[in-house]
Amino acid sequence: RTFVLLCLQNTRNMLETRYFFARFGGFFMGASLLTSCLGEPEPPQGVLSPEEMKPLLKEFHLLEAQVARMSFQNQDSAKVAFQYLEKKIFKKYGIDSVTYAKSYQFYGENPAVFLRIYEDVSKDLEATKDSVYRLKTKKP
């Protein structure tokens, strides 16, 4: 008897869910289609443009690799080195850590834009790797 009641309850829940999607599914699909057609959002005030983010992200990935290759005895030393070099990058590009954090958060909330940025960053890093490899293998 309990099994039958559970089956009836599950069937009722499935029918209610199906009714909900049948009634409102078109609305949600239309709304998602409309928002996807609106294009990508403009960065708000205080957020770096995608073109400004690309070299920063490339620099930070290179910095992470550089610190990882330094072979520090503990994580604290690596963190201090990273923070020191990070400040140099911020100074080089004339921004502060708050602007970078706001920009990173904005693009993290807009994955389609972030993906396009990272595609370019990935290509740049690959080109850098190839040029370094050519220098290492070049005969004197």
Side-chain angles (χ1 to χ4, degrees):
R1 181 175 176 186
T2 306
F3 178 73
V4 172
L5 289 175
L6 284 173
C7 287
L8 289 174
Q9 182 68 29
N10 285 340
T11 304
R12 184 172 150 235
N13 288 343
M14 285 176 27
L15 290 173
E16 287 174 357
T17 303
R18 189 170 176 201
Y19 172 76
F20 176 80
F21 282 112
R23 183 141 186 192
F24 297 106
F27 171 75
F28 290 122
M29 286 179 53
S32 66
L33 180 64
L34 180 63
T35 57
S36 68
C37 292
L38 292 176
E40 55 189 56
E42 287 292 318
Q45 186 80 20
V47 170
L48 301 170
S49 71
E51 294 306 314
E52 293 171 314
M53 278 296 283
K54 289 174 189 176
L56 272 170
L57 290 170
K58 179 183 174 186
E59 292 258 2
F60 279 114
H61 284 292
L62 291 172
L63 173 60
E64 288 171 354
Q66 180 183 1
V67 170
R69 292 183 55 101
M70 288 181 181
S71 302
F72 288 106
Q73 296 297 322
N74 60 44
Q75 290 289 2
D76 290 338
S77 299
K79 187 175 181 177
V80 168
F82 183 86
Q83 289 172 343
Y84 172 76
L85 295 169
E86 179 183 52
K87 287 178 186 175
K88 290 179 108 178
I89 292 173
F90 288 144
K91 186 175 181 180
K92 175 181 175 182
Y93 287 94
I95 65 164
D96 58 5
S97 60
V98 174
T99 303
Y100 178 75
K102 282 174 55 176
S103 301
Y104 198 89
Q105 180 180 358
F106 171 76
Y107 291 112
E109 292 169 355
N110 296 285
V113 181
F114 214 16
L115 181 61
R116 279 194 292 281
I117 291 171
Y118 258 104
E119 286 172 350
D120 290 343
V121 170
S122 178
K123 288 176 189 173
D124 289 349
L125 288 170
E126 194 66 34
T128 301
K129 182 182 91 171
D130 291 345
S131 66
V132 168
Y133 179 75
R134 279 193 299 274
L135 285 174
K136 283 185 173 182
T137 58
K138 189 176 182 180
K139 293 181 182 180

